[in-house]
Amino acid sequence: HYFIQSNLRMPRESVERDVRRMERKKRVKEVLEDKFRSELEDVVVSQTEGNKPNFHAGLKIGSSSSSNGKCYCKSSNSEFRGLANVRQVNDLHGVLREKYSKTERELRCKLAALYRLTALFEWDHLIYSHITARVPDEKDHYLINPYGIQYSEITASSLIKIDIQGNIIDPGSTVLPVNKAGFKLNSALHTVGQDVVYHTHSHAGTAISAMNCGLLNLCQEALIVRPVSYSSYQGFVPSTEEQKQLQEDLLEDSHVIILENHGLVSVGETVEEAFLWMAQLTKACEIQWRVLRLVELAAIVLGHPYVKCLVRYNAHSTMG
C-alpha cells in the first residue's frame, strides 16, 4: 500500500523527464526508419570497403556550411573575412533529388565541392576555365559549370549536363548558358577516354607554364607528377587541329598537362584523382616559383651572375 501511494506521488519533474525520454525514442525510431539512413550507409560502406585510402575526406557530400548555416570563406588576399552566409553544396532536395540517379547525385556533389575547393585555394579565375566530369551510366554526357557563376557559388543542382559538342541536355537549376568555346579544351580530352578534366589558372601554374625550362625536379611533388605533358596553347577557341594536337601531347601514363603560357590541366577517372594530381602539380609549381625568386635575390645581394630560365613569349596567347 505504501509503495502504491509513493508512486502516485511522483514529482512533476519525473513525469516530464519520462515524457521527454519517450519523445527522444520516437525521434530515434523515425531516423532509423528513414530512407536517407540506408542511402547514407551505402555511401559509407562504398567509401570504406576493403580499408582502401579514403580520398573522399576532402570532398564531403552534403552541406558546405556549419550547423548554424555559416562558414569561413577565404578572401583574395589570403585572409579570412569571417563568417558569411553561403549556399549548401548539396542542394538536391525534393523534386531535384528524385530527378537524378544516386550515382549522378553523388557526382554532382563531389564536382560542386571541387569547384568550391578551387575557389578556396585561389586556383580559379573569375568565371573562366572549367572542371568537367563524365556522367556515370550515360553515353557522352558531362557535367559543367554554368557560364556566369563564380566557383564559390557552384552547387550540385546548378551544374549543367551537356553532350560532347557542348549542347545542353539538362540546364540544372539556372537559366545560364554554357561556354562552348571553353569546353573545347576539355572535350578534346574527354574524347580520348578521360572521365574528369580539371583546368586551373593558378598564379604559380601560369608562371611556370611561361618558362622554357618547364617544371624542374626541385621537390618530391615534381617527381610524383612525372611524366609531365606539355602542349602549346594558341587561343581561346582551339581549332580541330589544336584539339588533336592536345590529344597527342598527352603522354602515356601522364595525368597532368602544362599548357604553355596558359595554365594547368589534370585528368583522372574520378573527381578525387583529378584533384590529387592537380594539388601535387600546383604545389610543385609554387615551390619552383619561390626557389627561382630566392636564386634571383641571392644573385642580386651577392653580386654574382646567375643563369635565368628564359621566359616563353607567345604572341597569339589569349585568356581562356
Side-chain angles (χ1 to χ4, degrees):
H1 179 72
Y2 174 77
F3 176 78
I4 295 176
Q5 285 185 341
S6 62
N7 278 275
L8 290 175
R9 296 172 185 171
M10 288 178 65
R12 180 178 178 180
E13 293 78 7
S14 300
V15 175
E16 292 177 347
R17 184 175 61 253
D18 291 341
V19 172
R20 289 196 298 270
R21 187 182 296 112
M22 293 176 64
E23 290 177 349
R24 285 198 297 270
K25 289 182 178 181
K26 182 180 179 181
R27 288 198 297 270
V28 171
K29 183 179 180 181
E30 291 175 350
V31 171
L32 293 176
E33 294 177 352
D34 191 86
K35 179 182 178 182
F36 174 74
R37 172 180 173 271
S38 60
E39 294 184 356
L40 181 60
E41 287 181 343
D42 292 341
V43 172
V44 173
V45 171
S46 65
Q47 295 183 7
T48 58
E49 187 176 8
N51 295 321
K52 297 180 180 179
N54 184 10
F55 295 110
H56 299 259
L59 299 175
K60 292 183 180 179
I61 301 171
S63 171
S64 65
S65 60
S66 61
S67 59
N68 60 3
K70 299 180 179 181
C71 80
Y72 283 97
C73 298
K74 197 173 184 181
S75 64
S76 58
N77 61 358
S78 299
E79 296 178 355
F80 286 103
R81 290 180 293 199
L83 290 173
N85 291 317
V86 296
R87 294 187 62 185
Q88 292 184 351
V89 171
N90 181 8
D91 60 346
L92 298 174
H93 308 297
V95 177
L96 287 175
R97 180 177 177 82
E98 301 300 326
K99 183 178 181 180
Y100 306 112
S101 66
K102 180 180 177 181
T103 53
E104 182 173 343
R105 291 199 305 268
E106 185 174 349
L107 177 63
R108 282 177 171 272
C109 291
K110 290 180 180 180
L111 189 59
L114 184 54
Y115 273 102
R116 297 287 187 92
L117 284 176
T118 305
L120 181 66
F121 295 145
E122 299 179 3
W123 298 345
D124 58 334
H125 185 194
L126 302 177
I127 63 173
Y128 306 105
S129 185
H130 304 287
I131 314 171
T132 53
R134 188 191 308 273
V135 179
D137 306 323
E138 294 189 24
K139 184 179 180 180
D140 293 333
H141 285 172
Y142 307 88
L143 296 179
I144 191 173
N145 55 316
Y147 194 45
I149 295 182
Q150 296 192 57
Y151 279 30
S152 59
E153 302 172 313
I154 298 295
T155 66
S157 70
S158 68
L159 295 170
I160 299 175
K161 186 186 298 185
I162 57 176
D163 60 19
I164 195 63
Q165 284 78 37
N167 300 312
I168 296 178
I169 305 301
D170 185 332
S173 59
T174 75
V175 294
L176 295 172
V178 168
N179 182 9
K180 283 189 175 183
F183 179 62
K184 285 188 176 182
L185 187 152
N186 295 54
S187 65
L189 297 173
H190 282 305
T191 302
V192 293
Q194 301 299 333
D195 293 317
V196 180
V197 180
Y198 187 8
H199 179 32
T200 65
H201 289 163
S202 62
H203 298 304
T206 305
I208 301 306
S209 74
M211 292 183 170
N212 278 329
C213 59
L215 185 66
L216 302 176
N217 294 332
L218 300 179
C219 59
Q220 63 179 0
E221 288 80 9
L223 298 175
I224 290 173
V225 297
R226 299 289 179 184
V228 177
S229 302
Y230 293 87
S231 181
S232 61
Y233 185 82
Q234 300 298 329
F236 182 58
V237 184
S239 63
T240 303
E241 291 73 19
E242 287 177 312
Q243 286 183 302
K244 291 181 180 178
Q245 186 62 49
L246 179 62
Q247 294 170 352
E248 295 174 359
D249 290 338
L250 181 60
L251 301 174
E252 186 178 359
D253 297 328
S254 178
H255 294 87
V256 297
I257 308 173
I258 295 180
L259 300 176
E260 297 176 359
N261 300 93
H262 185 68
L264 309 177
V265 175
S266 69
V267 296
E269 295 182 1
T270 64
V271 172
E272 296 90 334
E273 183 184 5
F275 170 74
L276 180 62
W277 288 115
M278 181 59 69
Q280 299 283 21
L281 178 60
T282 304
K283 186 69 173 180
C285 290
E286 290 173 351
I287 292 173
Q288 179 171 327
W289 190 12
R290 297 189 181 191
V291 168
L292 293 177
R293 181 57 179 161
L294 289 173
V295 171
E296 181 183 6
L297 291 175
I300 293 174
V301 172
L302 299 176
H304 294 302
Y306 64 98
V307 179
K308 294 183 178 179
C309 285
L310 297 179
V311 175
R312 181 189 299 110
Y313 174 70
N314 186 342
H316 303 286
S317 178
T318 58
M319 183 179 64

